Amino acid sequence: MTNTHEPLLTMLAEQVGSYRKILVGFSGGLDSTVLLHLLVRLRNQCRQSQREPLALRAIHIHHGLNSKADSWVEHCSQVCADWQVDFLTEKVSLDTRQDGIEAAARDARYQSFRRELQQDEILITAQHLDDQAETFLLALKRGSGPAGLSSMPANMRFAGTTLLRPLLNASRAELEKYAQVQELKWIEDDSNQDDRYDRNFLRLHITPLLNQRWPHFPQAVSRSANLCGEQEQLLDELLSEALNEVTSSEGAIFIPPLITYSEAKRNALLRRWLAWLGMKMPSREQLQRIWSEVALARQDAEPCFRLGQHDIRRYRQQLWLTPLYQRVAGRTIEWDWGAEQKLTLPDSLGELILAEGNTFKIRAPVKHERVTIRFGIQGHISIVGRQHSRHSKKLWQELGVAPWLRERTPLLYYNDQLIAALGVFVTKEGQCLADEKGISIQYVHTMDRDAPTY
């Protein structure tokens, strides 16, 4: 590895800075091969100068879209073996129902990156100046605003750590020159010649004409993207206080104050609320429908708007973002307490853990009472602490349980008698008397390992 074409190495070293653990997205193509080679050189420099070592891992995503995909894995594995880089590969399946193959492949890649990132490790990917110009043009085609036109930042938060794109100021021509000088070998993906894909269409037919007419077109586009990014950053700073004021501690956004704002400010706040929750930016039409069909729906409605793999719902004059849930209402799960102290619930609802207690509310089942967990109730219920029974819908409302969570609350039954809605209430039939030995069931939600015991 000779010390030629130093500007790329210098640029990389400046952006890597003090980061010491790096996961590299490695497709085996020109861009990622150059990036990995530069990082290996940087690692060698650290060794030679006795600086803190640089730990490198490369991840290759097998999309299963090309008949040569298996041979690409072999190529990438061999390159990493030659360069003494830890290598891992992950095969993914694509969900193309939402946005097509290109978007599905990208989403699958970044989901894999999220899963594989280790503590204190950053992700580095190989997008370059020409990629940035294409991303800008694609955003322009979609009618994106400043957020979309800001394209790809060189440094951003990702999966609790950092994503770096250190080659964004280098053109593909520079990368090709570097690869030729270093005598690198890389994969040529024949699908890159398929102009049915939008990015390939731009790369094959549009950007060559633009570059021929205006040789510095990619640099000009990059400047525009940076300016859009600066404007978005300024808006983030100016609106951060307002966003905090209209956002609840549970992550919902209050509707009444949004009604008093101008449409422009309201849309800006809604976009930032969704970005804060990790969502892709909705289109202007989607944002208008969220407001008119969900926020402003009639008071007795339970409106819902599908946005990607999530739903936006309204409850108690707030907008909530919820994942797509499987239907669990009507399911019955047997629970043999003699054999299992722990029960895993369906659809990532968490788990129930059995314990014993002398002062707890739930009575133990008597002999021959069958224990089950069910979902979804209708009818009148008498609970501890209330003198009169209430219809289940009214009871859920009084207890502040959102409509989409009501059928997902695990219900404890002895035979066909409702004993408790775990985490919410205990029925009078399930009440534990003072002289009885009670049963304690801890409901540990998937995303809440510190859930209280009920």
Side-chain angles (χ1 to χ4, degrees), residues 352-371:
L352 305 177
I353 302 172
L354 179 66
E356 289 187 356
N358 294 322
T359 60
F360 200 62
K361 302 174 186 175
I362 299 179
R363 69 171 177 84
V366 299
K367 193 175 182 180
H368 304 308
E369 280 189 320
R370 169 173 162 259
V371 179

Side-chain angles (χ1 to χ4, degrees), residues 397-412:
Q397 290 173 345
E398 291 175 11
L399 295 173
V401 179
W404 59 92
L405 297 179
R406 295 169 189 173
E407 72 166 34
R408 296 177 61 79
T409 300
L411 307 172
L412 176 67

Side-chain angles (χ1 to χ4, degrees), residues 229-246 261 264-265 268-269 272:
E230 288 181 9
Q231 293 298 311
E232 281 299 293
Q233 183 178 351
L234 177 60
L235 274 176
D236 286 342
E237 294 175 7
L238 293 175
L239 292 174
S240 62
E241 185 175 344
L243 183 61
N244 288 336
E245 290 175 353
V246 298
Y261 295 148
K265 184 175 182 179
L269 286 169
R272 278 152 184 79

Side-chain angles (χ1 to χ4, degrees), residues 327-382:
R327 182 170 174 81
V328 294
R331 294 187 64 170
T332 298
I333 305 171
E334 298 277 351
W335 193 3
D336 182 358
W337 286 357
E340 297 177 288
Q341 298 292 302
K342 183 187 295 184
L343 182 70
T344 300
L345 298 173
D347 197 29
S348 302
L349 277 171
E351 59 189 17
L352 305 177
I353 302 172
L354 179 66
E356 289 187 356
N358 294 322
T359 60
F360 200 62
K361 302 174 186 175
I362 299 179
R363 69 171 177 84
V366 299
K367 193 175 182 180
H368 304 308
E369 280 189 320
R370 169 173 162 259
V371 179
T372 58
I373 297 297
R374 307 180 190 184
F375 299 90
I377 51 174
Q378 291 290 331
H380 282 74
I381 304 167
S382 296

Side-chain angles (χ1 to χ4, degrees), residues 84-99:
Q84 298 179 333
V85 174
D86 290 342
F87 175 76
L88 60 151
T89 184
E90 183 169 333
K91 193 166 187 176
V92 297
S93 56
L94 305 184
D95 181 358
T96 61
R97 292 172 297 178
Q98 292 290 326
D99 302 308

Side-chain angles (χ1 to χ4, degrees), residues 106-317:
R106 182 187 183 281
D107 288 345
R109 281 197 302 277
Y110 281 88
Q111 286 298 330
S112 295
F113 296 156
R114 285 186 178 90
R115 285 191 296 270
E116 293 296 341
L117 277 165
Q118 298 176 353
Q119 187 174 4
D120 299 326
E121 187 175 51
I122 66 166
L123 174 66
I124 295 188
T125 57
Q127 291 91 351
H128 50 72
L129 185 65
D130 300 76
D131 292 328
Q132 183 77 306
E134 292 163 7
T135 301
F136 184 95
L137 291 172
L138 289 170
L140 197 64
K141 184 266 295 183
R142 291 192 298 268
S144 299
L149 295 175
S150 61
S151 303
M152 298 179 289
N155 184 318
M156 64 177 284
R157 296 297 297 167
F158 176 79
T161 180
T162 298
L163 166 59
L164 291 184
R165 298 183 177 98
L167 301 181
L168 275 185
N169 290 324
S171 67
R172 179 178 174 84
E174 291 178 272
L175 302 187
E176 286 178 344
K177 181 178 179 181
Y178 178 93
Q180 291 165 359
V181 170
Q182 298 289 343
E183 299 182 349
L184 303 181
K185 295 180 180 179
W186 63 89
I187 293 166
E188 290 288 359
D189 185 350
D190 52 12
S191 69
N192 289 335
Q193 302 304 310
D194 187 348
D195 62 9
R196 290 177 301 172
Y197 301 121
D198 289 345
R199 189 174 288 273
N200 289 348
F201 176 77
L202 286 174
R203 186 175 298 160
L204 295 172
H205 303 300
I206 304 303
T207 54
L209 289 175
L210 294 172
N211 293 335
Q212 181 180 351
R213 175 76 178 191
W214 301 293
H216 298 291
F217 180 78
Q219 289 86 347
V221 168
S222 181
R223 285 196 300 273
S224 292
N226 288 336
L227 288 171
C228 288
E230 288 181 9
Q231 293 298 311
E232 281 299 293
Q233 183 178 351
L234 177 60
L235 274 176
D236 286 342
E237 294 175 7
L238 293 175
L239 292 174
S240 62
E241 185 175 344
L243 183 61
N244 288 336
E245 290 175 353
V246 298
T247 306
S248 75
S249 59
E250 296 173 295
I253 189 166
F254 296 107
I255 295 171
L258 294 179
I259 294 175
T260 67
Y261 295 148
S262 67
E263 181 180 1
K265 184 175 182 179
R266 181 175 67 241
N267 287 345
L269 286 169
L270 287 171
R271 289 191 184 99
R272 278 152 184 79
W273 172 62
L274 290 169
W276 174 63
L277 293 171
M279 294 294 293
K280 291 182 180 179
M281 281 300 95
S283 67
R284 185 179 182 85
E285 179 189 1
Q286 287 175 317
L287 211 58
Q288 290 172 340
R289 290 185 61 191
I290 290 168
W291 184 249
S292 62
E293 297 177 18
V294 183
L296 300 184
R298 69 180 193 275
Q299 290 303 306
D300 60 345
E302 293 182 4
C304 177
F305 182 84
R306 181 67 46 83
L307 186 64
Q309 297 301 307
H310 290 75
D311 287 327
I312 295 180
R313 303 171 183 265
R314 186 189 66 191
Y315 178 61
R316 292 192 167 180
Q317 287 300 296

